[in-house]
Amino acid sequence: MRNLIDIKDLSKTEIEELIKVAKDIMQRPEKYSEKCKHKKLATLFFEPSTRTRLSFEAAMIELGGNVIGFSSASSSSTSKGESVSDTIRTVGCYSDIIAMRHPKEGAPLVASNKSTVPIINAGDGGHNHPTQTLTDLLTISCEKKRLDNLTIGLCGDLKFGRTVHSLINAMERYKNIKFVLISPEELKTPEYVKIKMEEGGIKYIETNDIEKYIDELDILYMTRVQRERFFNEEDYLRLKDYYILNKDKLEKAKDDLCIMHPLPRVNEISTEVDDDPRACYFKQVAYGKYIRMALILKMLDIK
Ligand code: CP
C-alpha cells in the first residue's frame, strides 16, 4: 500500500507519469469518468482549506467515485479528545483512500502507520504539502514546457511556507535549477532546507529585495505571510505586507515570466496583476484538480 507523505515518496519517473496522465485527463476527461466507480475518498481536514479539499473532492467525483469527510477538527470527534490514530483506523473502515490535512508537522506520517488505506498528506503544519507541489510541477510543465533550466524566485514566508519547502525538495531532481529566495530576515528559508539544497547541488541566493533579480526569473512564486503560524500578532502585522507584487514591480520582468501562488492570497499580489498574461495562479488552481485525479488513480492502482 502506498502513502504520499513527502514529495520524495514519488520517484522522478512516477511524477513524470502523473503529469502525463493529468495532461491526458485534461484532453480526454470522458475516458476517466467511471474509473473510480464504487470507490470512496475521505477528506479529513483538521485545518481550513478551500483549494486542496475541494479539488480532491472534485477530482474523485469526476472519476466517478464518492466523497466523505469533515472540514474542521471541531466537527469531528477530535473535539472530544479522539487521537489521530483512532480517527484514521475508523475512517479506513468507511473509505478506500484518505486525504488528510493537519496543523501538526508529522501527523499524516503518524496516521499512515495506523492506516489500512492509502494516506495522502494534504498539508502538515509548516512542513510539507506534496499535492501542492504536484500541482506546481504540472503548472510549470504546462506553462513553461520544461522542468529543467529554470530560475525560480520564491517570495514571502519562506520559513513556515510548506509549499516552498516541498517545491525546493522536488526541484532538486531537475537540471540547472537556480532559486532566488526573497524574504524578510525573520522569514528566511530554514537552515535544514538550505543544507539539502547544497547537498543536492542546487544554486541559490538570498535577498530581501523583490526587484533586484526580477529580470532573471522564469518563475516568480509568491506566498502568503501566514497569520496562523505566528506566535506573536505584532510580528505578523509588521511583516504581512512586506511584499505586494504590482505592475510597477513587474516592469523589468521577462515577457514569459510565470507568476505562481499556491493561494489563498491576502495582499501579496495586487489584483491589478490578475489580468497580466503572466499571472498563472488561477490556472494553477485548475491544474490542481487534474493532478489529484491522476494521483488518486495511481494510489488506488487503477489503470
Ligand atoms: N494551496 C492550498 O493549499 O490552498 P488551501 O489552503 O485553500 O487548500
Side-chain angles (χ1 to χ4, degrees), residues 45 48-53 101 122 129 132 162-163 262-264:
F45 278 64
S49 166
T50 296
R51 278 145 293 273
T52 311
R53 185 171 67 84
R101 171 172 288 187
H129 193 348
Q132 181 64 49
R162 59 192 174 200
T163 60
L263 305 182

Side-chain angles (χ1 to χ4, degrees), residues 289-302:
K289 181 183 72 181
Y290 297 109
I291 200 77
R292 289 182 174 102
M293 289 171 80
L295 180 66
I296 290 169
L297 291 174
K298 179 173 182 59
M299 294 193 66
L300 291 176
D301 203 19
I302 295 171

